[in-house]
Amino acid sequence: MNDQRTIKAFFMYLLAFWLLWEWIVPLDTISDTGNIHVFMIFIAGCLGLSFFGVRFWLGALIKSVYIFYMLNMLFFQKSFLSLGWIADLTNTVVHNFYFLINFQFAEMTNSFRSFLFFLLLWVSVYLLHYWLFVQKRLFLFYAMTVGYIAVLDTFTAYQGKGAIIRLVALGFLLLSWLHHERLVKKEKLLSGSKTWWKPFVFFASVSLFIGYTAPKLQPQWPDPVPFIKSYYASGEEEAEEGKEPAVKKIGYGTNDSRLGGPFLADDTVVFYAETKQRHYWRVETKDIYTGKGWESSDSVEIRTFERENDVMKWFDESVDKEMLTATVNFRERLFPHLVYPAGLTSVNVSGDVVFRLHAANEKIYVTNRESYAVRLSGYEMTYEYPSFSLETLRQAPVIEDRELLQRYTQLPPNLPERVKQLAQRITNGKENQYDKVKAIEQYFSFNGYFYETKDVAVPGEQEDYVDQFLFETKKGYCDNFSTSMIVLLRSVGIPARWVKGYTSGQLVHSGENGMNVYEITNNNAHSWVEVYFEGVGWVPFEPTKGFTNPYRFTGQSPQTAPTPVPQNVQPEQQRKPLDEEKKSVSTSSTGLLQSIKKFFVSLSLRNIVLFLGSLVASVYVLYKTRRKWWPFLTILSFKFRRSEETFIKAYFSLLKHLDDYGLKRRKSQSLRDYAAYVDEWFASNEMRELTLLYEKAIYRQAPTEKEWEKVKELWKNLIKKTIS
């Protein structure tokens, strides 16, 4: 029976799956990666196909079908292998390939990232199989796994204690097993000791028990993590009080009248939040777009409440809501206002305070009875976490509140006309408000816009902030994306407002009862969009590249076909395509990358079919003519190598070439008999001479300098004879 089908090989495959499992499991804690089981099943399937000896082409076909089926199920939700699905997939690959070759990884869509992750796992399984069953060496990969778990345990919320114990026990067992297998092969033993593992298990168990139970010294060095985290921030200079810095430091600020310009990262912790669900933390909204930034309405209306928030109506009764609790604790800087989730219903805090809501921007200040500001170090909240029905959003009636429409569809009178034309073209053919909103939200993902924090322009006196971003630079951060989406929505009569606050932050601890602790820093300062739907309320949307809307939308959503608009939507760009394209790429892009981008953007279905056909034909020709070029590659690969191990590998490489040439070796045929058969075919004596030198080498009688030259000569001559 084939060795891979033995019980020993089966357990080896189980250990291989376990090693990759240790790499995948932490992703559920340290990142927003979901559906981890999909990738686990893929790894198990790859190893299973290898274990059962499935042919390479069939295994590749099965893996490919699984990958594309899962991508369709998770991201496209269309009929598998339908024309619509193929078109969406092709469009996604074309657009994301440009981001890939420009190293704009943050711009890539989740579907394409998942596709690349599948490919990475595919390669990882292949390499792991090679190391385990061919090389029988795994120390480097094992050491990388230990380091990976140790780093995650130190710097993230992932608890790696159990993983380290498993790696010590099972990892040492696997390394010992592989070492035993190498000894068996090296010493040419027919079989190894069947009890080799018993002493190892005994000593490993005793060592683990002692190491786990023995008293341990306290840390001898100070914890380096706080120093590492604060190092970058400590080197940055604060802006002078009252002046707008040339390069701003990211964080929450109050003045948004002039947006644009670069900023520096700042990982200073603002607050910790304990909550069950990820969501955005609101601070305020703004409703007047000036062409340069945002301002709030002049309303001075203030609504007050003490515990129960009875002054803000969030969502209509038709919206499904889950009542949740959250706790906020500020780190160092205390604010006189609340950070709160959408749906806030009550605030519980010690002390006699009053919460004052400014109706103009929904900013909630904390004061005492005499209206003096109070800075809280922490507080508890209850809030409604919404779940928006896509069917309800699509069926939302026309908004009849004229006051609301007038306020939240305001635009400056000098807004360039091409911005309004762009909004009309993006939403053309969409029959309801939700589909129009989604079309605009997704527009930025498929039309060459980049997330950038350094090289970000500031509009001049005669320039509009949104117009500059949409048509000139196409580079920016959350303010650019969110403001542009709102202006496009308002251009087609859809009420929308600008919201400032923080993202959900970094998970640092998973507690009991599903409560998680998140760390929110200045880097998490963010702006996003809220759109009003009649009969629903204000619904959040997220247009910024690299960010994901944390709120739930239920019901199947047919994916809006991405609209790469350069030809139909932006006529200005057609008149000067080269200049505009140069503006839309990073400064590190080369002429070659520009050409590649233009090639892929211009691909039609016919061109794609021709390209794939040419690729298949080229592969077929290379395969059929392999006898012409493969031997030369083999000669080149061994040309400058000289060792006993190299000779052995070269000899077996020669056997493969002879087999492919047509000189098949029977299973019962010895090397000497096979050498005689080869020499008879070629009418020479070279294969027998090379075989004698090979036998001499494997019995540890390394060839002399003179014999090395003879080995190379014989081997090269025989390789060349296989060329046909």
Side-chain angles (χ1 to χ4, degrees):
M1 182 179 292
N2 190 298
D3 184 61
Q4 287 188 343
R5 300 185 183 181
T6 62
I7 296 177
K8 181 175 69 174
F10 176 74
F11 281 107
M12 191 76 79
Y13 275 102
L14 283 181
L15 289 173
F17 175 78
W18 159 72
L19 273 176
L20 290 173
W21 179 80
E22 294 288 5
W23 282 79
I24 300 297
V25 166
L27 298 180
D28 195 30
T29 302
I30 66 174
S31 71
D32 291 330
T33 305
N35 300 293
I36 296 295
H37 65 281
V38 171
F39 302 109
M40 294 293 194
I41 294 173
F42 179 72
I43 293 173
C46 291
L47 291 171
L49 292 171
S50 179
F51 174 74
F52 289 108
V54 176
R55 290 183 177 274
F56 174 80
W57 66 268
L58 180 58
L61 178 62
I62 295 174
K63 296 170 191 175
S64 300
V65 170
Y66 178 85
I67 290 173
F68 289 119
Y69 179 79
M70 285 301 171
L71 290 177
N72 178 60
M73 185 181 72
L74 294 174
F75 298 103
F76 298 97
Q77 290 104 30
K78 291 191 174 181
S79 179
F80 188 51
L81 297 181
S82 66
L83 291 178
W85 173 79
I86 294 175
D88 282 357
L89 179 66
T90 303
N91 212 339
T92 298
V93 172
V94 168
H95 285 282
N96 283 275
F97 184 79
Y98 173 68
F99 299 143
L100 182 64
I101 62 178
N102 278 281
F103 304 103
Q104 299 283 349
F105 302 121
E107 312 300 325
M108 295 189 299
T109 61
N110 289 334
S111 58
F112 192 71
R113 292 178 184 177
S114 299
F115 174 69
L116 294 181
F117 191 48
F118 272 121
L119 296 184
L120 176 63
L121 292 177
W122 191 337
V123 173
S124 300
V125 171
Y126 172 79
L127 292 175
L128 190 59
H129 177 270
Y130 176 76
W131 291 330
L132 276 176
F133 294 96
V134 180
Q135 293 286 350
K136 298 189 183 298
R137 297 179 184 275
L138 201 67
F139 180 77
L140 179 60
F141 184 78
Y142 172 73
M144 290 171 57
T145 306
V146 174
Y148 169 73
I149 297 298
V151 169
L152 294 185
D153 182 70
T154 303
F155 293 96
T156 72
Y158 178 67
Q159 301 296 320
K161 183 178 180 180
I164 293 295
I165 294 175
R166 291 191 297 270
L167 283 169
V168 171
L170 295 178
F172 283 1
L173 171 63
L174 181 57
L175 292 176
S176 301
W177 192 349
L178 293 175
H179 181 69
H180 175 262
E181 292 294 309
R182 291 199 305 273
L183 286 177
V184 170
K185 181 179 179 180
K186 186 175 182 180
E187 300 299 333
K188 306 297 185 295
L189 301 176
L190 294 178
S191 62
S193 171
K194 296 181 179 180
T195 60
W196 65 271
W197 57 272
K198 293 181 180 179
F200 166 79
V201 171
F202 173 76
F203 287 113
S205 301
V206 172
S207 300
L208 282 171
F209 177 77
I210 295 175
Y212 187 78
T213 59
K216 302 169 182 63
L217 288 173
Q218 293 297 319
Q220 302 300 302
W221 296 338
D223 186 4
V225 176
F227 171 77
I228 295 173
K229 287 185 174 182
S230 63
Y231 178 77
Y232 179 73
S234 65
E236 299 170 354
E237 296 181 357
E238 296 286 349
E240 292 182 340
E241 184 67 20
K243 296 182 180 180
E244 185 72 5
V247 179
K248 298 172 285 188
K249 179 179 283 189
I250 190 173
Y252 173 78
T254 58
N255 185 2
D256 303 301
S257 60
R258 190 169 180 83
L259 299 177
F263 66 78
L264 297 172
D266 181 12
D267 60 356
T268 302
V269 176
V270 180
F271 63 94
Y272 289 95
E274 183 178 8
T275 183
K276 183 178 180 181
Q277 291 282 3
R278 283 184 177 271
H279 53 72
Y280 285 168
W281 297 93
R282 303 169 94 252
V283 176
E284 63 178 330
T285 68
K286 294 190 176 181
D287 56 351
I288 298 178
Y289 175 66
T290 64
K292 296 292 187 291
W294 287 96
E295 295 179 358
S296 296
S297 298
D298 294 330
S299 173
V300 294
E301 178 184 1
I302 296 178
R303 306 169 188 170
T304 62
F305 65 95
E306 296 186 9
R307 291 289 185 271
E308 300 295 325
N309 177 16
D310 55 357
V311 299
M312 301 174 71
K313 179 175 174 57
W314 292 100
F315 312 110
D316 192 84
E317 296 298 326
S318 62
V319 178
D320 292 332
K321 300 173 285 288
E322 180 183 6
M323 188 65 71
L324 299 175
T325 61
T327 302
V328 168
N329 289 294
F330 290 96
R331 180 65 182 271
E332 295 178 1
R333 183 183 177 188
L334 306 182
F335 295 94
H337 59 260
L338 296 182
V339 291
Y340 61 97
L344 177 70
T345 57
S346 67
V347 184
N348 184 22
V349 61
S350 59
D352 190 15
V353 299
V354 176
F355 301 103
R356 301 178 183 273
L357 169 71
H358 284 228
N361 59 7
E362 296 188 348
K363 194 170 186 177
I364 303 176
Y365 289 91
V366 187
T367 68
N368 58 21
R369 296 287 177 181
E370 289 74 35
S371 300
Y372 289 104
V374 175
R375 298 176 182 268
L376 301 176
S377 60
Y379 48 90
E380 297 179 356
M381 295 172 289
T382 59
Y383 65 100
E384 297 173 334
Y385 183 80
S387 181
F388 301 106
S389 167
L390 297 181
E391 181 180 0
T392 302
L393 293 175
R394 286 197 172 89
Q395 295 177 358
V398 177
I399 300 172
E400 298 179 353
D401 189 339
R402 297 301 173 188
E403 183 179 348
L404 182 143
L405 284 172
Q406 182 179 2
R407 178 180 178 183
Y408 292 109
T409 58
Q410 170 273 336
L411 289 171
N414 59 345
L415 181 72
E417 192 63 25
R418 62 178 179 176
V419 175
K420 300 177 182 179
Q421 293 174 359
L422 175 60
Q424 291 288 347
R425 294 180 187 275
I426 294 174
T427 58
N428 185 34
K430 309 303 178 186
E431 298 179 354
N432 57 75
Q433 178 175 311
Y434 175 78
D435 287 343
K436 292 179 181 179
V437 174
K438 286 300 292 183
I440 293 176
E441 182 190 47
Q442 295 177 349
Y443 169 74
F444 303 96
S445 298
F446 299 99
N447 291 278
Y449 292 86
F450 304 106
Y451 186 86
E452 175 64 55
T453 60
K454 299 290 191 296
D455 184 19
V456 182
V458 177
E461 290 302 320
Q462 303 302 320
E463 292 181 292
D464 182 272
Y465 176 70
V466 167
D467 180 81
Q468 182 189 61
F469 173 68
L470 288 176
F471 300 99
E472 303 295 333
T473 65
K474 304 183 91 173
K475 294 185 292 186
Y477 39 89
C478 57
D479 292 348
N480 299 88
F481 286 93
S482 56
T483 302
S484 297
M485 179 176 176
I486 294 170
V487 171
L488 290 171
L489 288 170
R490 292 182 173 188
S491 296
V492 291
I494 298 176
R497 64 187 181 186
W498 195 61
V499 191
K500 288 180 58 180
Y502 300 88
T503 62
S504 55
Q506 177 70 35
L507 176 67
V508 295
H509 177 68
S510 296
E512 299 178 354
N513 302 322
M515 299 296 286
N516 301 314
V517 177
Y518 297 90
E519 181 185 77
I520 292 87
T521 70
N522 278 329
N523 285 331
N524 296 118
H526 191 54
S527 62
W528 62 97
V529 179
E530 285 184 352
V531 181
Y532 187 80
F533 287 81
E534 188 71 30
V536 177
W538 290 100
V539 180
F541 288 87
E542 180 52 88
T544 305
K545 298 294 291 295
F547 290 75
T548 303
N549 195 334
Y551 294 93
R552 281 195 299 245
F553 290 80
T554 61
Q556 284 204 346
S557 174
Q559 296 291 317
T560 303
T563 47
V565 201
Q567 296 178 356
N568 298 329
V569 177
Q570 300 176 16
E572 294 81 357
Q573 286 188 310
Q574 294 185 39
R575 291 193 288 269
K576 47 178 183 177
L578 184 58
D579 293 338
E580 293 298 335
E581 255 181 53
K582 286 181 178 179
K583 291 178 181 179
S584 68
V585 298
S586 64
T587 56
S588 62
S589 298
T590 64
L592 175 61
L593 296 181
Q594 290 277 11
S595 301
I596 294 175
K597 177 194 175 183
K598 290 163 64 177
F599 168 73
F600 277 101
V601 170
S602 64
L603 282 179
S604 63
L605 182 59
R606 176 177 174 272
N607 290 333
I608 292 174
V609 172
L610 290 175
F611 172 75
L612 292 178
S614 301
L615 181 63
V616 171
S618 300
V619 172
Y620 177 77
V621 171
L622 287 174
Y623 176 76
K624 297 300 289 185
T625 61
R626 66 189 184 283
R627 291 269 44 86
K628 301 290 186 183
W629 54 268
W630 185 27
F632 288 108
L633 288 181
T634 305
I635 292 173
L636 184 62
S637 64
F638 288 102
K639 184 175 182 179
F640 301 104
R641 300 161 62 184
R642 175 177 295 185
S643 68
E644 177 185 332
E645 185 178 355
T646 300
F647 177 29
I648 294 173
K649 290 181 179 179
Y651 184 83
F652 278 101
S653 177
L654 173 62
L655 294 181
K656 291 180 181 178
H657 279 281
L658 292 170
D659 181 83
D660 191 64
Y661 178 73
L663 299 176
K664 306 291 184 181
R665 178 189 170 195
R666 300 189 302 274
K667 290 184 178 181
S668 60
Q669 194 173 23
S670 67
L671 286 177
R672 291 192 179 188
D673 291 340
Y674 180 65
Y677 168 61
V678 172
D679 284 339
E680 182 181 356
W681 180 269
F682 289 125
S684 70
N685 197 41
E686 292 173 327
M687 188 62 183
R688 275 177 285 198
E689 290 185 56
L690 188 64
T691 301
L692 290 174
L693 291 171
Y694 164 75
E695 291 176 346
K696 182 178 180 180
I698 65 172
Y699 289 109
R700 299 188 177 182
Q701 298 179 16
T704 63
E705 186 68 26
K706 183 177 180 181
E707 288 176 328
W708 272 122
E709 296 302 321
K710 187 175 182 180
V711 164
K712 290 170 60 177
E713 183 76 19
L714 292 171
W715 181 81
K716 183 186 286 188
N717 290 340
L718 286 165
I719 286 283
K720 289 181 177 180
K721 288 180 179 180
T722 64
I723 299 174
S724 60

